[in-house]
Amino acid sequence: MKSSKKRQVTAAFFAAAALGGVAHAAPVLNMNDLVGSKTTSESTTETINNVATPVVQPMVPRVRPVPVPDTAKALEEQYRAVSQPQYVVNKQTNTMMEPTLAMHSLINVQRKTEPVTIQKQVDGKQQTQTTQVQRTPIIVQEQSTTPLAVANTTTTKSVIAKRTLTIRDIQRAERERLAKLAEEQAAQQEAMQQQSSEQAQAVRQMAAERAAEAQRQAALLAQQQEAQRQAELLAQQQEAQRQTAIKAEQERIAAQQAEAQRQAAIKAEQDRISAEQAEAQRQAAIKAEQDRIAAEQAEAQRQAAIKAEQDRIAAEQAEAQRQTAIKGEQDRIAAEQAEAQRQAVIKAEQDRIAAEQAEAQRQAAIKAEQDRIAAEQAEAQRQAAIKAEQERIEAEQAEAQRQAAIKAEQERIAAEQAKAEQEAKAKAQAEVEAQRQAAIKAEQERIAAEQAKAAQEAKIKAEQEAKTKAEAEAKAQAEAKARAEAEAKQAQESKLPESYVNERNQASTKGSTTIGEKNILSQPIDPPLQADTSAKITLTFDINNYESMTGTVDNKEIKYRAFEYIPYVSNPIDIDQQYINIYIPEEYFNNGTVNGYNTQTAPIFMPNNVGGYMPSQPMAPKVENNKPNSALYALSRGYVVASPATRGRTNKASDGNFIGKAPAVIVDLQAATAYLHANDTTMPGNAKRIITNGTSAGGAVSLLQGATGNTSDYQPYLQALGAATASTDVYASSAYAPITNLDAADMAYEWSYNGITSFNKVTMGQGELPQANIGGAPAPIQRNVQRVNLTNDDVAYSDLLKSHFPDYVNNLQLRDRTGVILKLDKKGNGTFKQYVKSFIIDAANKAKSNGTDVSRYSFLVLDKNTGMVKDIDWDAYNSFTSRSKEPGAFDSRANDSGENNLFGTSTSDTNHFTITAALHDTTPNNDVYVENAKIVTMMNPMNYLGSPSATNAKYYRIRYGTADSNTSVAIPLIVGTRAQNLGYSVDIATPFGVDHAGDYDLQDLFNWMDSIVKNSR
């Protein structure tokens, strides 16, 4: 441990570290990429003067797609570049900024000034004003239709894939299970029918036995009567002797009869009970038979209906043929009549010929006139082409002038850097020379002293010289060894500039105190993960592998085909998370239309189910809380639905490696998008009209999809997974409550909630994030709620984060719709704050117009004359919504937030992702790790909006409720405003009173989607 009180910042941090704390890192760092390859004709001088020019030293530009033979080398250079030291120094302010924010201020958009008419309220009345607005971005992007280049080799890390069963195995097993179940049900039904038949036969047999028994009893009775008659005849002869015997016999017979009657009664009761049981079984058998007959009748009726429909169609076809024959016959008769008339009236024919000649002359005159008009139109087109060519030449000349200016500026900067380097080198050489001269002088003095000593001690000269020589050699070896160790240590650590350490320590004294000295280390960038064995799954869409399903929307039955469990990569790491479900309206398979769309033009709605950056499953069409979810509603509006499963931050491989850390979720979504583009010609729907949607973390990755189309940053990851080699851009992005711009979110959160020191916090598991309320569903059950009071250290850290936010906002150079630059002063006030408040005011007024009583909200300031909301009390509003997280809301100082978990690596569960949090880390660890800046950059859409290396979506819709405190309301507004300043169409609003929720206005969402699709045709 060094004795210095300053923190030791280890050189391993170089891969992520940079100077400057609030300006976002851009994915592309050369000057041409910053200003774009295609520009307008206006000068760039104004913007250059407004923005501090950074010195990039050294940062390697992102590799763009190159021809296939050079791709492997390019990707290798790209991978090697991200581990090099990265510096961004602001020479004018000398401030310290987060490395991943270093380029947000450098992608400023230059716009030409144009007049625009706006309406605004003045004293409660609508007035129309005309103002000059700066619009039209300097960067002109073109949608790519060329598949991304694929390298033959990519450095990857092998993990054991979860592949016990493939999707095909699962589907095959499911089909076999269903077939076996059907066979068992058929066997059971057959057994029941056989049992019913046996029971009926037993009933008939029992009835026959009862009849036989009755006949036997009747015969026995007849025999008894005959015996009595014979006895009476004998009694006449032996009356006296047999009276007693007869009486005894009669008593015996009576007893027998009584016994027989009792036995008969018992048997009759048993027969009755058996008959009742048999009758019950017979009734059951009759009911089963009736059900079977009813089913057969229903099937017969259905077949009859089908046959009747077929007969009707055949009859219609026969009728059409008959009508055709009749028409043909009528035409033939008419022709014969015409021929007869022609033969009869030759003069009339001659008149007709003359009329035809006159008509021919008239047609010739018309054609001549048309030729003249066409010639005039051709001349007009030629003049337009000449004018366009002149404009193009002027634009090229302007571009050449701009490029020359840029080149001159680059040469000037290079010359200054070379001069500075030469001066530094000369200074270093002078210092070395001075040290060498001092060493020579010391050596000379030592030699002189030794010579004097040798003169005095001549007797022991040889011994002293040998000893001196040995000591000199040992000393030289020790010095050489020390120098070698120092050089090796310097080569390994490459310490940050002293100005960086000084500035950070100075900043830390303004914020929370730090305990002890810690090593700030940057995680080396993980190679793309690749499965240990190749699955070789085909990525061709199977149009025949589906299940027919139905749903109900507004009492209307929606029929669709479900194509489920489709792998979107050929070599998945996690088969349970890397597949897509596709749902297509049934009408598109019958040449039908829905909502004006058909199988070729239907847009593709791509909702994700991502929450908290956790693993997600596809969204299946269904009714939730008596309402259709967005997938089912999309089908009712004629959209093809494609919903992917994705990996998340807690996914693990069988070997224990984490396989869902950043950037896994966006890589999976890009792979699913590439699958849709690759199969555009084989499946219904238009892959050029993909519209993404998500809520919370899902909203963040939806925006990321919109910003990162076709960027090469994800290419090594896609290649390792075996993704389709196709485009990854989307048409539009929709986001509800997006938890995005994570590396700037801590600053923004404290700008909103600084000063609130007591709040309710929901107790969750380590690394857990709150789940959003989707589609109007009841909010998830909250767990333990505890009252949290911030410590003095927390308050100081909140003050520090808040103080960084104005510089970040000011460097963005955002503008509102009227062209006003959005800024903040050191206290956090300014035009940006008024801009944020305007969205909340508009939302409150809209709610009031819809019948909401807004008078109960004390933070609203109402106009006494009109009753409309004219302002809000900013502090009162933030107190009303209240913070729900401690300072360090996203990059927790304890390194235990869900976002810390997101930025782990394949072998470490959590990492910091901002330098500020790492410098104020509260864990007991001496080594504090920060995620590689490249990975953090890949998770933020701000780094890709306006970048010429990415194909941005042209349409965005963002919703963030005024009652939501899961991030600062400033964060989604910053992203939306950046896209708006680039000239994209952005629909952004803050619905009044809405908490952390999504999909609550499906009708409005799909009306917007219809408008951007249908109006662009």
Side-chain angles (χ1 to χ4, degrees), residues 832-842 871-874:
F832 178 79
K833 184 176 180 179
Q834 295 303 318
Y835 179 70
V836 174
K837 289 169 62 175
S838 69
F839 281 89
I840 302 171
I841 294 170
D842 290 345
D871 197 4
I872 65 168
D873 184 325
W874 178 249

Side-chain angles (χ1 to χ4, degrees), residues 287-568:
K287 188 174 186 303
E289 181 66 14
Q290 290 174 344
D291 292 343
R292 184 186 63 78
I293 293 171
E296 289 179 349
Q297 290 175 347
E299 177 63 20
Q301 291 174 356
R302 190 179 69 81
Q303 293 294 336
I306 292 173
K307 188 173 184 307
E309 180 65 15
Q310 292 173 344
D311 294 342
R312 183 185 65 77
I313 293 171
E316 289 179 352
Q317 292 174 347
E319 178 63 18
Q321 292 173 356
R322 190 179 67 81
Q323 292 295 336
T324 301
I326 291 172
K327 189 174 183 302
E329 182 65 18
Q330 290 174 345
D331 292 342
R332 186 186 62 80
I333 294 171
E336 289 178 352
Q337 292 175 349
E339 178 64 18
Q341 291 173 359
R342 189 183 66 80
Q343 292 296 336
V345 284
I346 294 175
K347 188 175 182 303
E349 178 65 16
Q350 292 173 345
D351 294 340
R352 184 184 65 79
I353 292 172
E356 287 180 350
Q357 293 174 347
E359 177 64 18
Q361 294 173 355
R362 189 180 68 83
Q363 291 295 335
I366 291 172
K367 187 174 185 303
E369 180 66 16
Q370 291 174 340
D371 292 341
R372 185 186 62 80
I373 294 172
E376 290 178 352
Q377 292 175 344
E379 178 62 20
Q381 292 175 353
R382 189 179 69 82
Q383 292 296 331
I386 292 172
K387 183 179 179 182
E389 180 65 15
Q390 292 173 345
E391 291 174 350
R392 184 186 65 78
I393 293 171
E394 291 174 355
E396 288 179 350
Q397 292 173 347
E399 174 65 13
Q401 293 173 357
R402 188 184 69 83
Q403 292 295 338
I406 291 171
K407 184 176 180 182
E409 178 66 13
Q410 290 174 338
E411 291 174 350
R412 184 187 65 77
I413 293 172
E416 289 179 354
Q417 291 176 344
K419 182 179 179 181
E421 290 174 356
Q422 290 176 354
E423 291 176 352
K425 185 176 181 181
K427 183 178 179 181
Q429 290 176 348
E431 291 176 352
V432 171
E433 179 63 20
Q435 292 175 357
R436 190 178 68 83
Q437 292 296 334
I440 292 172
K441 183 177 180 181
E443 182 67 15
Q444 290 172 346
E445 292 174 352
R446 184 184 64 80
I447 294 172
E450 288 177 353
Q451 289 174 349
K453 186 177 181 180
Q456 294 175 1
E457 301 177 357
K459 293 182 180 181
I460 56 173
K461 180 179 179 180
E463 182 180 350
Q464 287 179 341
E465 288 177 351
K467 182 179 179 181
T468 301
K469 185 177 181 180
E471 289 177 352
E473 290 178 352
K475 184 178 180 180
Q477 290 176 355
E479 289 176 349
K481 182 178 180 181
R483 284 195 302 270
E485 290 177 350
E487 291 174 355
K489 184 176 180 181
Q490 183 176 5
Q492 291 176 358
E493 294 186 352
S494 302
K495 293 182 179 179
L496 289 173
E498 185 177 358
S499 62
Y500 174 82
V501 181
N502 293 341
E503 186 70 22
R504 277 303 185 187
N505 281 279
Q506 184 180 358
S508 68
T509 61
K510 301 176 183 177
S512 60
T513 59
T514 59
I515 302 175
E517 296 181 355
K518 294 191 176 185
N519 299 323
I520 310 299
L521 308 173
S522 172
Q523 286 285 6
I525 190 168
D526 253 350
L529 301 180
Q530 187 171 35
D532 55 337
T533 57
S534 177
K536 297 181 180 179
I537 297 174
T538 179
L539 297 182
T540 301
F541 179 73
D542 185 356
I543 198 71
N544 297 314
N545 188 12
Y546 69 90
E547 182 178 356
S548 294
M549 294 185 175
T550 60
T552 303
V553 177
D554 295 334
N555 298 320
K556 179 182 178 182
E557 184 180 54
I558 307 299
K559 295 182 179 181
Y560 60 94
R561 296 187 183 183
F563 301 82
E564 297 183 324
Y565 302 105
I566 305 172
Y568 50 70

Side-chain angles (χ1 to χ4, degrees), residues 204-240:
R204 290 194 296 272
Q205 185 177 356
M206 290 176 64
E209 290 177 354
R210 285 199 301 270
E213 180 64 21
Q215 291 177 359
R216 189 180 66 78
Q217 292 293 337
L220 180 61
L221 183 60
Q223 291 176 359
Q224 290 175 352
Q225 291 175 353
E226 180 63 22
Q228 290 177 359
R229 188 177 66 80
Q230 293 294 332
E232 289 175 356
L233 292 174
L234 292 173
Q236 293 175 1
Q237 299 174 359
Q238 300 174 346
E239 183 63 27

Side-chain angles (χ1 to χ4, degrees), residues 169-187 545-549 564-565:
D169 293 334
I170 295 172
Q171 292 175 335
R172 187 184 304 107
E174 180 67 10
R175 287 195 295 270
E176 291 175 354
R177 185 185 69 80
L178 293 175
K180 184 177 181 181
L181 180 62
E183 291 177 358
E184 291 177 353
Q185 291 176 346
N545 188 12
Y546 69 90
E547 182 178 356
S548 294
M549 294 185 175
E564 297 183 324
Y565 302 105

Side-chain angles (χ1 to χ4, degrees), residues 29 48 60 78 144 196 256 261 290 346 365 375 413 419 504 550 642 661 663 675 715 843 858 937 973 989 1000:
L29 298 175
I48 292 175
V60 181
Q78 176 190 359
S144 172
S196 299
Q256 288 179 351
Q261 290 175 357
Q290 290 174 344
I346 294 175
I413 293 172
K419 182 179 179 181
R504 277 303 185 187
T550 60
K661 302 298 186 183
Y675 177 89
Q715 184 60 23
S858 59
T937 297
L973 292 179
Y1000 42 76

Side-chain angles (χ1 to χ4, degrees), residues 124-142:
K125 298 181 180 179
Q126 289 290 120
Q127 293 189 4
T128 301
Q129 298 181 351
T130 300
T131 185
Q132 296 293 323
V133 179
Q134 292 184 342
R135 296 191 185 279
T136 308
I138 189 168
I139 299 171
V140 180
Q141 296 182 335
E142 296 179 357

